[in-house]
Amino acid sequence: MTRIKSLPAFVCLFSCGLSYLVILPAFAQEEPIELDPIVISGGKEKVVSDTPQSVSVLNQNELDRKQPTTVGNGLTDLPGVKAFGSNRVLGEAFNIRGFGQDNSGGEGRLILQVDGATKYYQQYRMGALFTDPELYKRVEVLRGPASSTLYGSGALAGVVTLETKDASDFLKDDDRDFALRQKLEMTSNGYGGFSSTILASRPTKNLEFLGAFIYRNNDDLKDGSGEQIRGSAFDAPSALLKSRYEFGDGNSQAIELSYQHWTTQEDEAEYEQTGTGSFGLVDREVTDKTVVLIYENTPLESDLIDFKARLSWSDTRVIQENAKNTLPPPFDTSVLFDDSTYAYENYQLSFENTSIFGLEEGLQTFLTAGVQGSWQTRTGEAERGFIRFQPGGKDTKVAAFVQTEMVFPNIGLTLIPGLRVEHAALTSDALNTNPNFNETVTNTAVSPKLAALFEINNNWSLFGSVAYTERLPVLDEIFDGASGNLELDAETGITYEIGTTYAINDIFVDNDALVTKLTVFRNDTENLIERASQRDPFIN
């Protein structure tokens, strides 16, 4: 089956997105692309057409078909989703329905997660995600603040989740205990290369290991007129090590550990990574590390326990040296062009359980509840010391959430209410020269939602949702050296979304299908926080 590219979405005061799927018979290719894939990041697993939210899924077959160089390359066909980045793979920024990262680094309105670990990075005119798409088997995009319940307050734009490959993806046969896959690629524009080496092993029935080793490189590209694109060359090696051990009655328990490492060191890279400005060149060394430890417990004899605990550590570090800026005075003396280090280190711990009630009764209920804590340290250091628009500090969050999915099979109705309460405490580094900024600033956000889906018949469904969220100010906005405000109010956003889905099988031949989904939404946002100063932000 083949999917036609989705129509592009547009955003206005009253916005709507339309996507459609047209398919061919299943024998068109050996591994058909799922037209109605499973959504695993929205609570109870369900297909896209039965999800009362605008969701897009890229599974392994889609990623193999697209062969993206960056994660953003794989999202280019999705309605209402846009990725920003340069010719070099030095970080990407994302935008969903008009919200997301901007050139100043405002990434707080969109949540990025890798295997459940939140990835957060903000730097002036840099991206937020540093990784290689070859490491992943699944990307899901959940649009709008309805995602705030499970993922974090302030998801005005939505959530992008990425799931890394597993050894079991390559060891599907029970009698297979080792697999090796090697991919090689060469490009003529810039004379680049790509190598992907994946090793999967299952030494015992309950234990498996995966090692993925990726290398991408490219010389400077040339544009359509044959002119060399300055600063577009890159070298970007990355690796993923992952293991899983299952144990207990019926292998109902499991421990999973993964480590991901991505790095690049580029001389004379474009300072501007997420826009079209000209700030000159800079030598950059970027290192991104992610460690995720997961414990799962799903007893076979109980529907009340589907428990998951997750501990993660993320560290993203950018070292800049030897800047050659092209800005006129007085901007050329900005601390932006000092030798400097920018870094985020984040620890996150979460506990989550899903209970199922009434499977044999008229009402089926899936109750998901959990708590989450995160501890983030931000560093911004330059030759001249404190970077006032990149203040260092600590961000501590504690949250509790609950989501209930109530299914009334007799009438074809599904209701999904949810609520998240999140408390944050921000503390500035002592490097800040303003003594008032050394106090701790606390805020609390509340994010309720209600979504519904009604199955009219076997083909047609109607869905709708109303979701409210509050985005708490981040370190940049509270402790900015020029425009700091300790009493900033939270941004608030409410989104109304309605839509319809149509799905039909066996239209022309057996096993073909047609799936369509139309979504209309409206975003209302208040107290939008914008960075402003009497002094130009380029000058320190």
Side-chain angles (χ1 to χ4, degrees):
M1 291 177 283
T2 303
R3 192 183 78 173
I4 303 300
K5 291 183 179 180
S6 300
L7 291 174
F10 63 93
V11 178
C12 52
L13 180 61
F14 184 78
S15 303
C16 64
L18 171 64
S19 64
Y20 66 93
L21 301 173
V22 180
I23 53 78
L24 295 177
F27 52 76
Q29 57 187 42
E30 292 183 1
E31 295 187 6
I33 296 172
E34 293 181 78
L35 292 179
D36 205 6
I38 299 294
V39 179
I40 64 174
S41 301
K44 172 181 171 286
E45 292 186 5
K46 59 184 75 66
V47 295
V48 169
S49 60
D50 287 341
T51 304
Q53 182 182 1
S54 181
V55 180
S56 296
V57 178
L58 296 180
N59 54 28
Q60 187 64 71
N61 288 341
E62 277 280 79
L63 292 170
D64 289 342
R65 182 178 68 86
K66 290 173 177 286
Q67 292 294 305
T69 304
T70 64
V71 173
N73 290 157
L75 306 181
T76 54
D77 295 341
L78 304 185
V81 181
K82 186 173 179 59
F84 303 88
S86 70
N87 293 305
R88 278 179 163 171
V89 289
L90 282 170
E92 291 183 280
F94 298 91
N95 185 289
I96 301 175
R97 291 179 172 176
F99 291 106
Q101 189 181 35
D102 54 34
N103 285 338
S104 64
E107 191 262 331
R109 300 182 181 101
L110 184 148
I111 295 176
L112 297 171
Q113 286 197 344
V114 172
D115 287 341
T118 298
K119 304 294 292 183
Y120 188 90
Y121 187 83
Q122 290 190 117
Q123 182 186 338
Y124 186 69
R125 297 186 181 267
M126 279 286 286
L129 182 66
F130 306 87
T131 189
D132 193 287
E134 179 67 14
L135 299 175
Y136 302 99
K137 65 177 181 181
R138 188 178 189 87
V139 182
E140 293 189 11
V141 179
L142 296 86
R143 300 173 182 83
S147 308
S148 293
T149 301
L150 299 179
Y151 292 95
S153 67
L156 295 171
V159 176
V160 178
T161 70
L162 300 95
E163 183 182 358
T164 55
K165 290 180 169 67
D166 292 301
S168 57
D169 299 328
F170 304 91
L171 302 171
K172 297 180 179 180
D173 296 334
D174 292 337
D175 58 348
R176 182 184 299 177
D177 56 17
F178 180 80
L180 168 64
R181 193 190 74 173
Q182 177 66 50
K183 293 171 61 177
L184 296 172
E185 179 181 296
M186 296 186 66
T187 57
S188 58
N189 189 346
Y191 297 103
F194 164 72
S195 172
S196 169
T197 305
I198 296 179
L199 300 169
S201 174
R202 186 185 289 137
T204 68
K205 183 178 180 180
N206 300 342
L207 179 64
E208 63 181 39
F209 296 98
L210 175 82
F213 308 95
I214 316 300
Y215 181 73
R216 291 186 190 271
N217 79 308
N218 217 96
D219 293 336
D220 281 330
L221 301 171
K222 293 182 179 180
D223 60 21
S225 63
E227 294 294 324
Q228 190 176 68
I229 302 176
R230 182 187 63 170
S232 58
F234 66 85
D235 288 276
S238 58
L240 169 68
L241 301 176
K242 194 172 185 179
S243 63
R244 181 180 176 87
Y245 176 64
E246 298 178 346
F247 59 98
D249 185 19
N251 290 334
S252 59
Q253 300 182 66
I255 295 177
E256 185 173 287
L257 177 64
S258 66
Y259 171 69
Q260 184 181 150
H261 189 107
W262 185 94
T263 186
T264 184
Q265 184 170 352
E266 309 302 339
D267 295 336
E268 296 188 341
E270 288 281 356
Y271 196 103
E272 169 71 88
Q273 289 296 309
T274 58
T276 58
S278 178
F279 284 71
L281 304 177
V282 66
D283 296 345
R284 275 195 175 113
E285 180 182 347
V286 184
T287 304
D288 185 275
K289 305 174 185 177
T290 308
V291 176
V292 181
L293 175 64
I294 299 174
Y295 168 73
E296 300 173 353
N297 186 4
T298 310
L300 300 178
E301 68 280 359
S302 175
D303 293 328
L304 300 180
I305 301 176
D306 186 353
F307 176 77
K308 179 177 289 187
R310 179 183 286 107
L311 174 64
S312 65
W313 171 75
S314 173
D315 184 82
T316 305
R317 197 165 299 270
V318 177
I319 300 174
Q320 297 185 171
E321 298 176 326
N322 306 320
K324 302 173 183 177
N325 76 80
T326 58
L327 296 177
F331 307 113
D332 59 334
T333 61
S334 169
V335 72
L336 278 173
F337 306 106
D338 281 9
D339 289 354
S340 52
T341 299
Y342 301 87
Y344 277 91
E345 185 178 24
N346 188 61
Y347 293 89
Q348 185 173 330
L349 176 64
S350 65
F351 302 95
E352 179 180 314
N353 185 72
T354 298
S355 300
I356 305 175
F357 304 92
L359 284 180
E360 298 179 356
E361 302 174 3
L363 171 62
Q364 301 170 5
T365 303
F366 302 84
L367 175 64
T368 300
V371 294
Q372 185 181 84
S374 64
W375 300 264
Q376 181 187 100
T377 301
R378 172 179 179 151
T379 302
E381 299 176 350
E383 286 181 307
R384 283 178 275 176
F386 174 66
I387 305 175
R388 64 177 179 79
F389 49 80
Q390 183 82 16
K394 295 178 175 58
D395 183 345
T396 302
K397 289 187 176 73
V398 178
F401 58 89
V402 60
Q403 176 173 289
T404 303
E405 185 164 346
M406 297 177 289
V407 181
F408 301 83
N410 294 333
I411 59 175
L413 177 65
T414 300
L415 296 176
I416 308 179
L419 176 67
R420 184 185 186 93
V421 179
E422 189 166 294
H423 182 76
L426 304 179
T427 305
S428 174
D429 280 349
L431 291 173
N432 200 312
T433 57
N434 188 331
N436 293 326
F437 288 177
N438 291 324
E439 66 178 83
T440 298
V441 176
T442 60
N443 286 291
T444 301
V446 180
S447 301
K449 75 170 181 184
L450 176 62
L453 182 140
F454 178 65
E455 297 179 6
I456 301 174
N457 53 40
N458 291 333
N459 304 116
W460 286 96
S461 297
L462 296 175
F463 66 90
S465 67
V466 55
Y468 172 86
T469 192
E470 297 176 338
R471 186 188 75 86
L472 301 178
V474 295
L475 282 163
D476 281 57
E477 297 156 345
I478 292 290
F479 297 116
D480 183 290
S483 60
N485 187 346
L486 302 184
E487 298 181 356
L488 273 179
D489 292 331
E491 292 181 352
T492 63
I494 185 168
T495 294
Y496 307 92
E497 186 169 333
I498 59 174
T500 181
T501 62
Y502 177 75
I504 186 172
N505 298 321
D506 303 328
I507 308 172
F508 303 109
V509 298
D510 291 341
N511 297 322
D512 70 353
L514 171 67
V515 181
T516 67
K517 191 168 187 176
L518 171 68
T519 304
V520 180
F521 65 93
R522 178 185 175 93
N523 292 328
D524 288 328
T525 305
E526 296 183 358
N527 299 327
L528 194 68
I529 300 173
E530 296 289 345
R531 303 280 295 278
S533 173
Q534 294 180 349
R535 301 175 62 189
D536 194 282
F538 297 146
I539 306 175
N540 194 60

